[in-house]
Amino acid sequence: MTIPDDRLDPAPAPIGKLVDLAEAASNERNWSEAIARWTACFAHPEAHPAPRWHAALGNALLASGQANRAVDVFEPARVRHPKAPEIALGLARAYTRAERWDDAAGVWAACIAEFPDRVRSDWRVNYAECLGHLERWAEAEEQTTLVVDTEPVRVAIMALHARCAQQRGDWPAALERWDRCIAAADDARPIWLMDRATALQAVGRSAEATAAFNLIRDSGRATCNETRRAFVQAMTRARRGDELAQAFTEGFLKDAPPDPSDLTAARGLITCNRVDDARRLFARLLPELHNAQGLVRSLNIVALAHDADERPALYRRIADRAHEMLAAEPTDVAPLHRARVGAAFGTRDIGLIRTAVADAEADDPAAAAPAREILRRIETPDDPAHRRGKVFCIGLSKTGTTSLSRALGMLGYASAHWANPYTWELLGERDLLLFDALADTPITWQFRQLEESFPDARFIFTSRPLEDWRRSWRKHMIRDLGVADFDGFKAMIESPDRVRYGERYRRIHRDLYGRYDDPDSAFLGLGEEIRAHFSGARADKLLEFDVFAGDGFNKLCGFLRRPIPKDPFPWSNAAHEKPRVVYATAS
């Protein structure tokens, strides 16, 4: 940040003058100047920061696209000024811009509850949009209903209202709302038309649905990026993988130039269990990727759609592309470093990893610190310290493994959940030395071997009431894998061209589920096996943990002999989160 000369004087200007200058810069929307001047106000020896100072600095950061820095301003201000609406609103907007949907939803809800006389329709809409990202559609619909039924609203709000019904599976209501939304729009967005066509299909009006899709496809906007994305999203939501794949092989996208937004299509094909088609589409896209976020997202496609022996070469291409883009001195260096470092870890080329981490450190040492620690562990695989004090979280999906993994990160463990947070690959043998706490089914299926290989390790068995688990697991299968019953799930894991993450995923899930006739038997069978193994002399190595029954830091810290933190136990849902780095060296 460049600080004007008047702030470098040995005797700083009076605080009143600095505030006036900062407010003037904010009023003129000169955001870089406003950020610098408000920062100087906070640093002034006579400063007594008021809520409006925090709000002004945070809003300037938001306006300049620095959402994470805005969060860093608003979070402590919210603690100091809990009754200031401008701080609460600023924090809600910052979380939303940073795509921290859980946090954003919580603060929007607090704003609505704490400042009822100030509530505006856009608060409820923002809250509803966050809930939508979390797939909490019934709650989102409560908010959109309050707005739609009480005042004239923008058509975008009507569209969100329609999508809530659609995501709940109430297709007649969704179709009625899409008709109302599209009729009110001067120029309906393609995604709305696509969703209406999907609703027509769902209510059995197939001829009208086909005509609607064809009309969109044949319109003059059929190859524009918005229509392209709309088509992909509609096909993915409707699980129409055949039509999505066909669009790229012989349909209206066959001759369209590759576009980074088609990464969404590759991910959609995976969602529709068309992994082979996703792999072919990605091969077409990779040479055309010139977008920082696209490179980051491509790591996920490599991990999901490709076998282990294919990945290193693809990771190297991503790392090379990120390096080329960094050499051009772009503004978005953080995601480029994230893509390059993650891809370098995927190649397992120690020289490339060292170079990528060193370059990332040169730009932002603090952000690169976790990668540096990972590199240190890779460089010293025989260090016995890497094998001591492990915590393995074992339990089936939908038993609170995400919450537990986050809690362990808060306790100072190098924590990884489900996938390596750099490469997105399923947690494997190498990760056992790179992280101190590892969680979910890639760990669960090998708990016996882990207990033998890591004699001083502790194991935490996550569970919940059977009926609750069965209901949540089934929703997870429908939403993430597109299979509605246990037989469909078993058939999917036996099909190499349908299952994601390659052979390792199949092996894990065949072992945990494939031996059983129904999900209840798999759930109960795992519990019996774990309890039998950790009986007798091994009993003190195992903790049974149920976050749904209220288990939290008191029980966890007693088992691990760690001090209880002041922060509350985290509540998370893996269905709504991407793998993230939670890294601190365990003490």
Side-chain angles (χ1 to χ4, degrees), residues 186-201:
D186 294 330
D187 185 18
R189 292 174 54 193
I191 185 63
W192 302 348
L193 300 173
M194 291 286 187
D195 281 330
R196 179 182 179 273
T198 303
L200 285 167
Q201 182 77 25

Side-chain angles (χ1 to χ4, degrees), residues 104-152:
V107 181
W108 282 118
C111 289
I112 291 169
E114 293 171 16
F115 313 111
D117 296 336
R118 296 171 175 256
V119 174
R120 297 179 357 191
S121 62
D122 63 292
W123 295 16
R124 295 191 183 279
V125 172
N126 279 304
Y127 181 31
E129 289 175 342
C130 293
L131 293 169
H133 281 286
L134 296 171
E135 299 188 19
R136 292 160 56 183
W137 294 105
E139 297 169 76
E141 191 167 18
E142 291 178 8
Q143 299 301 317
T144 57
T145 299
L146 288 170
V147 176
V148 169
D149 291 350
T150 58
E151 58 182 90

Side-chain angles (χ1 to χ4, degrees), residues 288-425:
E288 305 296 327
L289 282 176
H290 299 285
N291 172 276
Q293 292 296 342
L295 287 178
V296 173
R297 293 170 62 202
S298 68
L299 298 174
N300 183 229
I301 304 297
V302 171
L304 283 166
H306 297 82
D307 292 328
D309 59 347
E310 299 175 306
R311 293 174 194 155
L314 294 169
Y315 282 130
R316 183 170 291 278
R317 292 178 66 183
I318 295 169
D320 290 345
R321 179 60 52 79
H323 180 56
E324 293 170 6
M325 294 174 66
L326 284 164
E329 299 183 358
T331 57
D332 49 351
V333 295
L336 287 173
H337 281 305
R338 192 157 60 248
R340 189 181 179 209
V341 169
F345 281 131
T347 67
R348 308 203 175 196
D349 180 333
I350 190 66
L352 179 59
I353 296 171
R354 286 175 179 144
T355 302
V357 171
D359 289 348
E361 282 183 311
D363 278 331
D364 191 339
R372 169 57 66 184
E373 176 60 20
I374 289 282
L375 173 58
R376 186 184 71 80
R377 295 189 178 204
I378 292 174
E379 292 176 322
T380 56
D382 297 327
D383 186 342
H386 304 336
R387 306 187 65 85
R388 291 197 294 265
K390 297 293 180 184
V391 177
F392 296 116
C393 308
I394 54 177
L396 294 180
S397 298
K398 316 312 296 178
T399 59
T401 55
T402 308
S403 299
L404 179 57
S405 184
R406 283 190 129 188
L408 290 166
M410 293 170 65
L411 293 179
Y413 289 91
S415 181
H417 175 263
W418 174 256
N420 181 300
Y422 291 94
T423 65
W424 297 71
E425 295 176 297

Side-chain angles (χ1 to χ4, degrees), residues 163-485:
R163 185 155 294 123
C164 289
Q166 179 172 309
Q167 293 292 343
R168 285 192 299 102
D170 187 347
W171 292 104
L175 180 58
E176 179 185 358
R177 293 175 187 179
W178 282 124
D179 284 339
R180 179 184 170 194
C181 171
I182 291 167
D186 294 330
D187 185 18
R189 292 174 54 193
I191 185 63
W192 302 348
L193 300 173
M194 291 286 187
D195 281 330
R196 179 182 179 273
T198 303
L200 285 167
Q201 182 77 25
V203 299
R205 293 161 61 177
S206 299
E208 293 175 75
T210 300
F213 279 119
N214 288 339
L215 182 63
I216 299 165
R217 182 195 63 195
D218 296 335
S219 71
R221 303 166 66 192
T223 57
C224 76
N225 285 338
E226 185 178 30
T227 302
R228 188 185 197 125
R229 289 191 295 270
F231 176 82
V232 167
Q233 291 172 18
M235 294 298 99
T236 302
R237 288 194 190 106
R239 299 281 179 178
R240 296 171 68 168
D242 291 345
E243 294 183 33
L244 180 54
Q246 185 183 35
F248 287 95
T249 56
E250 56 188 77
F252 79 98
L253 292 176
K254 178 178 182 294
D255 299 319
D259 184 270
S261 65
D262 289 339
L263 285 172
T264 305
R267 189 64 180 83
L269 286 166
I270 294 168
T271 299
C272 296
N273 298 322
R274 300 290 296 260
V275 176
D276 281 352
D277 289 313
R279 188 183 299 117
R280 284 189 286 270
L281 177 57
F282 183 70
R284 172 187 171 188
L285 293 174
L286 185 55
E288 305 296 327
L289 282 176
H290 299 285
N291 172 276
Q293 292 296 342
L295 287 178
V296 173
R297 293 170 62 202
S298 68
L299 298 174
N300 183 229
I301 304 297
V302 171
L304 283 166
H306 297 82
D307 292 328
D309 59 347
E310 299 175 306
R311 293 174 194 155
L314 294 169
Y315 282 130
R316 183 170 291 278
R317 292 178 66 183
I318 295 169
D320 290 345
R321 179 60 52 79
H323 180 56
E324 293 170 6
M325 294 174 66
L326 284 164
E329 299 183 358
T331 57
D332 49 351
V333 295
L336 287 173
H337 281 305
R338 192 157 60 248
R340 189 181 179 209
V341 169
F345 281 131
T347 67
R348 308 203 175 196
D349 180 333
I350 190 66
L352 179 59
I353 296 171
R354 286 175 179 144
T355 302
V357 171
D359 289 348
E361 282 183 311
D363 278 331
D364 191 339
R372 169 57 66 184
E373 176 60 20
I374 289 282
L375 173 58
R376 186 184 71 80
R377 295 189 178 204
I378 292 174
E379 292 176 322
T380 56
D382 297 327
D383 186 342
H386 304 336
R387 306 187 65 85
R388 291 197 294 265
K390 297 293 180 184
V391 177
F392 296 116
C393 308
I394 54 177
L396 294 180
S397 298
K398 316 312 296 178
T399 59
T401 55
T402 308
S403 299
L404 179 57
S405 184
R406 283 190 129 188
L408 290 166
M410 293 170 65
L411 293 179
Y413 289 91
S415 181
H417 175 263
W418 174 256
N420 181 300
Y422 291 94
T423 65
W424 297 71
E425 295 176 297
L426 285 183
L427 292 174
E429 183 176 355
R430 182 176 70 154
D431 298 308
L432 299 176
L433 300 182
L434 303 185
F435 298 93
D436 300 319
L438 301 96
D440 217 305
T441 50
I443 301 303
T444 303
W445 81 304
Q446 53 181 324
F447 71 86
R448 296 180 185 85
Q449 300 94 308
L450 293 174
E451 194 268 334
E452 181 178 344
S453 300
F454 297 88
D456 72 336
R458 289 179 172 267
F459 292 78
I460 303 174
F461 174 37
T462 54
S463 190
R464 67 189 292 185
L466 175 59
E467 291 186 5
D468 290 346
W469 174 81
R470 184 196 311 122
R471 183 166 49 250
S472 181
W473 186 84
R474 185 172 182 274
K475 289 181 181 178
H476 173 65
M477 291 299 104
I478 294 172
R479 179 183 59 242
D480 287 7
L481 301 177
V483 292
D485 56 42

